[in-house]
Amino acid sequence: MKSKHDIDLKELTRNREYYPSPEEWEEQILYFLITDRFSTGEEKNLYNPERDYENALRDENTKKRWLKYGTKWNGGTLKGIKSKIDYLAELGVTAIWISPIFKQVSFEETYHGYGIQNFLDVDPHFGTKAELKQLAEEVHSHNMYFILDIILNHAGNVFQYENGTPNYDGNVFPIKAFLDENGKPAIRPDPVEVDTLYEAWPDGGIWPIELMSPDAFTRKGQIVDWDRYPEYTEGDFLALKNIYTGNGEFDEFHPSEALKILTECYKYWIAYADIDGFRLDTVKHLEPGATRYFVREIHEFTKTIGKNNFYVIGEITGGFEFAIETLDKTGVDAALGINQIPEKLENVAKGYLNPVDFFDLFKNSELLGEDEYRWYKDNVVVMFDDHDMVAQTGHSRFCADKKTAPLLLNALFLNLMSPGIPCIYYGTEQGFDGSGDHDKYVRETMFEGKFGAFRTVNRHFFNVHNPIFRELSKMIKIRKENLTLRQGRVYQRAVSYKGVEFELPHKLDETRHTGVIVWSRIFSTEEIVLACNCDLENDRNIYVVIDSGLHMPGSVFECIYSTESSQESHEVEVEELVGKNVIRFRVPRSGSVAYRNKPKL
């Protein structure tokens, strides 16, 4: 497909039944993977930590090769992802989000998928359009949803400026030419005939062909100040060229022809492959009017094919208030990349931050004028490890901190059992520990690649017997079985270790918090009390304040989950202490528990 005129949505959707949307997205558990780094479908040699750990560092040549392949194509494919749907189903995830799969510029190794050269084709490194459609069918056959990562605000490195690589200063710079398949500025779009531009097919220029025009781009050079408006909406992401999406104030925004074309392209992918949701990249760098136009068009189109709750998840950096304001103005369904959430979730789980700093993110939102206990439900995607780690100055997975790595399951428990739509980054379920001064270190291969996790080569990590995988699967099952854990309100709980003085858990000094983190989820008359122990060496016996309006002394709570399985089914009675209704239970070291009130007979 070379032109916008090749898109025929009516014909594509005629007499076709599409996979329906979920009624509630907060019911889902997302799993995010980088297509090039996930699977080839040919995995045979399973990683053995005692034998294989850091086998790529055993000689200098192997180490250099391992480092080199961190920024290169490694070989993951759509067929590979399809071969691992059973693995993901066993883990318990219900929605799979994959990195962009569109055709990339041919002369650069943009394995991550964010350097698009053709918005209407799949990159051959990943496979074919037919294989994308087959993957979606496989996902749906396992009662899962399929989310595709997309980009609106920029294309790949598709043209060269007349004079080098200018930095943003507010001016429009002339283009020398669009780039051919070798990265040479050889395609001059103006004033040549359209037929001449078609000679650049398939690896030169940008497609559909209507985008091969200077007017499709802002042409204002590279961003220098990433926080100055309008520089961050008009400038280029380094070599990635910024697309002109329109002009005018928010209420009077006029979409550009380029934005209209891209919107039709993404409607095509929904119709062709039966996609259930989009993760929209770099929303901060789009004018709010452009985002609103795109989201409205996508929502209206998907309703016409029976996807009544198609979800658009926006990557919105720039702070918590900015993200909420963007959601409110643009119609984006959920925010991803709110800087404070992943940072605070990870640091609370590790004991480096007071628990209240995380839980306060989900309540008392004056910005929205809501009641004190507003919970964000399906308006925010909650995760910690990811492919960018924008909340960090470096790039480190949770387990890179060896001291607190045993608390990974607590972080996953906190992620799954707190408000929002939980998302797991690929490899976290296997304890990946990548860390370094470049994002490549947190984009390891799961398959037997040249840039394997734990500094390895030729080993894969699809180990369903890994204790982290098994325990995470168990947590997910508990979440699925309890409506309260999916949709309940959240309240941080006061605790006491001796049953005398009750207070919210907090750090006592500058050292790491080694106490408990305790909160409740309440839905109607049911309360589930959840607790994590940050102590790496000792169990903790605690008294926890519960809702006295729901539970009288003598009522019973039952343990429905514990990282120490022998504790499950243990019952405790509500008792009154110092004028409070409380329950007392034990939290295993580095572990988590959940107690649910038993209904009265």
Side-chain angles (χ1 to χ4, degrees):
M1 298 176 68
K2 302 177 183 179
S3 167
K4 66 179 182 180
H5 300 297
D6 295 332
I7 301 171
D8 188 343
L9 295 175
K10 288 185 178 180
E11 182 61 31
L12 195 58
T13 58
R14 191 187 309 276
N15 299 323
R16 185 171 173 190
E17 185 174 340
Y18 286 89
Y19 196 75
S21 303
E23 291 185 10
E24 305 282 357
W25 276 91
E26 72 256 45
E27 302 269 322
Q28 310 311 315
I29 299 105
L30 277 54
Y31 184 97
F32 170 47
L33 61 90
I34 297 178
T35 306
D36 177 65
R37 302 298 165 96
F38 189 64
S39 173
T40 61
E42 300 175 357
E43 292 79 13
K44 296 176 182 178
N45 299 306
L46 182 64
Y47 171 72
N48 181 326
E50 295 180 0
R51 178 194 64 204
D52 302 321
Y53 181 72
E54 294 191 338
N55 68 13
L57 307 185
R58 292 174 185 173
D59 65 74
E60 196 61 29
N61 287 335
T62 307
K63 178 181 178 180
K64 287 181 180 178
R65 191 180 189 212
W66 182 83
L67 289 168
K68 181 179 76 171
Y69 271 91
T71 56
K72 293 185 174 296
W73 293 98
N74 274 247
T77 63
L78 294 167
K79 288 179 69 175
I81 299 171
K82 181 183 174 186
S83 75
K84 296 300 179 292
I85 299 303
D86 285 339
Y87 167 88
L88 297 174
E90 185 166 349
L91 181 60
V93 299
T94 64
I96 299 166
W97 152 30
I98 70 171
S99 60
I101 47 73
F102 310 106
K103 189 173 183 298
Q104 304 291 290
V105 293
S106 59
F107 53 89
E108 293 183 348
E109 300 215 32
T110 51
Y111 68 88
H112 43 69
Y114 295 100
I116 301 173
Q117 181 254 349
N118 188 344
F119 287 87
L120 286 174
D121 204 0
V122 170
D123 194 283
H125 287 91
F126 301 136
T128 66
K129 289 166 59 175
E131 287 168 348
L132 177 67
K133 188 175 182 180
Q134 291 161 10
L135 172 57
E137 291 170 350
E138 185 71 13
V139 169
H140 291 153
S141 74
H142 285 73
N143 298 316
M144 298 179 186
Y145 300 98
F146 192 31
I147 299 171
L148 198 58
D149 207 321
I150 66 166
I151 304 100
L152 269 185
N153 81 298
H154 66 262
N157 183 13
V158 295
F159 67 76
Q160 181 176 310
Y161 287 102
E162 188 70 52
N163 298 306
T165 305
N167 288 330
Y168 182 95
D169 64 7
N171 292 308
V172 175
F173 299 101
I175 287 178
K176 183 175 184 179
F178 283 87
L179 304 180
D180 66 14
E181 67 274 14
N182 298 312
K184 304 298 183 182
I187 308 165
R188 299 184 181 276
D190 190 17
V192 301
E193 298 293 331
V194 172
D195 288 346
T196 304
L197 295 182
Y198 275 111
E199 295 175 3
W201 176 266
D203 295 324
I206 180 172
W207 305 88
I209 194 169
E210 291 80 9
L211 296 178
M212 214 177 322
S213 163
D215 292 339
F217 298 87
T218 54
R219 296 166 285 145
K220 292 194 173 185
Q222 294 186 5
I223 297 171
V224 177
D225 187 338
W226 294 84
D227 294 313
R228 185 173 66 181
Y229 178 85
E231 181 172 346
Y232 63 72
T233 64
E234 296 179 339
D236 299 335
F237 268 64
L238 302 176
L240 303 174
K241 300 305 190 288
N242 195 70
I243 292 171
Y244 173 62
T245 56
N247 64 80
E249 296 298 322
F250 179 70
D251 290 331
E252 300 292 333
F253 184 81
H254 301 287
S256 69
E257 186 63 21
L259 177 56
K260 292 177 182 178
I261 292 169
L262 290 180
T263 301
E264 293 305 298
C265 289
Y266 288 126
K267 289 179 185 178
Y268 167 79
W269 288 110
I270 296 168
Y272 173 78
D274 200 357
I275 305 300
D276 302 300
F278 284 152
R279 180 269 193 182
L280 179 56
D281 189 52
T282 57
V283 171
K284 173 185 173 180
H285 299 274
L286 285 163
E287 289 289 350
T291 305
R292 182 170 70 168
Y293 169 83
F294 176 77
V295 172
R296 184 186 67 229
E297 287 288 315
I298 293 299
H299 280 157
E300 291 182 0
F301 170 70
T302 51
K303 286 182 185 296
T304 69
I305 61 172
K307 289 181 178 288
N308 295 324
N309 198 13
F310 186 94
Y311 234 56
V312 180
I313 300 167
E315 183 209 20
I316 311 174
T317 57
F320 195 79
E321 289 77 14
F322 178 79
I324 299 302
E325 180 184 1
T326 301
L327 283 182
D328 190 44
K329 290 178 67 175
T330 64
V332 168
D333 296 293
L336 169 78
I338 296 178
N339 310 53
Q340 297 181 44
I341 289 180
E343 176 187 19
K344 291 186 176 182
L345 190 158
E346 176 170 336
N347 286 319
V348 164
K350 288 180 173 181
Y352 295 143
L353 198 66
N354 282 318
V356 68
D357 292 326
F358 175 68
F359 288 103
D360 269 0
L361 294 173
F362 298 101
K363 66 177 184 180
N364 201 26
S365 177
E366 295 179 0
L367 182 64
L368 294 179
E370 297 286 355
D371 294 333
E372 181 181 1
Y373 287 100
R374 148 110 183 153
W375 68 101
Y376 288 102
K377 297 180 62 179
D378 55 357
N379 298 132
V380 61
V381 174
V382 182
M383 62 191 302
F384 48 100
D385 284 353
D386 66 53
H387 67 310
D388 286 328
M389 305 294 185
V390 294
Q392 301 179 359
T393 53
H395 301 85
S396 296
R397 287 183 180 258
F398 187 98
C399 288
D401 182 350
K402 300 303 181 186
K403 179 180 179 180
T404 58
L407 297 171
L408 173 63
L409 285 171
N410 280 3
L412 290 165
F413 186 79
L414 188 60
N415 195 2
L416 285 165
M417 309 305 179
S418 55
I421 306 169
C423 183
I424 299 158
Y425 184 47
Y426 84 100
T428 299
E429 78 278 12
Q430 299 291 340
F432 282 13
D433 65 349
S435 179
D437 59 0
H438 192 282
D439 54 23
K440 68 182 181 182
Y441 293 107
V442 293
R443 300 176 180 184
E444 314 97 305
T445 60
M446 285 278 284
F447 58 88
E448 298 163 54
K450 298 180 179 69
F451 189 69
F454 304 113
R455 282 69 61 199
T456 66
V457 293
N458 302 324
R459 295 294 181 269
H460 80 82
F461 304 90
F462 295 99
N463 183 4
V464 297
H465 302 295
N466 184 317
I468 300 170
F469 181 99
R470 299 312 314 167
E471 200 63 35
L472 175 56
S473 177
K474 185 176 160 186
M475 290 179 190
I476 291 173
K477 183 174 184 291
I478 292 295
R479 185 182 188 275
K480 288 179 177 178
E481 291 173 347
N482 290 273
L483 178 65
T484 299
L485 294 177
R486 304 192 303 273
Q487 298 196 30
R489 290 166 281 138
V490 63
Y491 301 88
Q492 194 181 0
R493 290 304 188 200
V495 302
S496 173
Y497 295 102
K498 297 181 180 179
V500 180
E501 295 181 353
F502 286 82
E503 58 186 359
L504 295 179
H506 61 279
K507 284 159 53 75
L508 297 177
D509 49 39
E510 294 304 311
T511 61
R512 195 178 67 82
H513 176 230
T514 57
V516 292
I517 306 165
V518 188
W519 68 104
S520 285
R521 301 293 299 270
I522 295 179
F523 196 85
S524 186
T525 59
E526 182 171 86
E527 178 172 7
I528 299 179
V529 179
L530 305 126
C532 299
N533 185 359
C534 294
D535 196 318
L536 297 167
E537 299 176 354
N538 303 296
D539 294 355
R540 291 281 190 170
N541 290 298
I542 58 172
Y543 296 87
V544 178
V545 175
I546 46 88
D547 192 307
S548 60
L550 294 176
H551 319 294
M552 297 297 104
S555 302
V556 175
F557 277 69
E558 178 183 17
C559 181
I560 60 170
Y561 170 79
S562 174
T563 45
E564 188 179 293
S565 58
S566 61
Q567 188 175 1
E568 291 171 6
S569 298
H570 173 248
E571 295 183 354
V572 295
E573 282 194 5
V574 176
E575 54 186 301
E576 184 178 354
L577 282 178
V578 294
K580 305 175 188 298
N581 289 354
V582 304
I583 56 174
R584 182 177 186 270
F585 55 84
R586 179 176 59 87
V587 190
R589 63 179 181 176
S590 306
S592 305
V593 298
Y595 277 81
R596 180 182 62 199
N597 66 291
K598 294 187 73 172
K600 297 178 182 179
L601 299 177

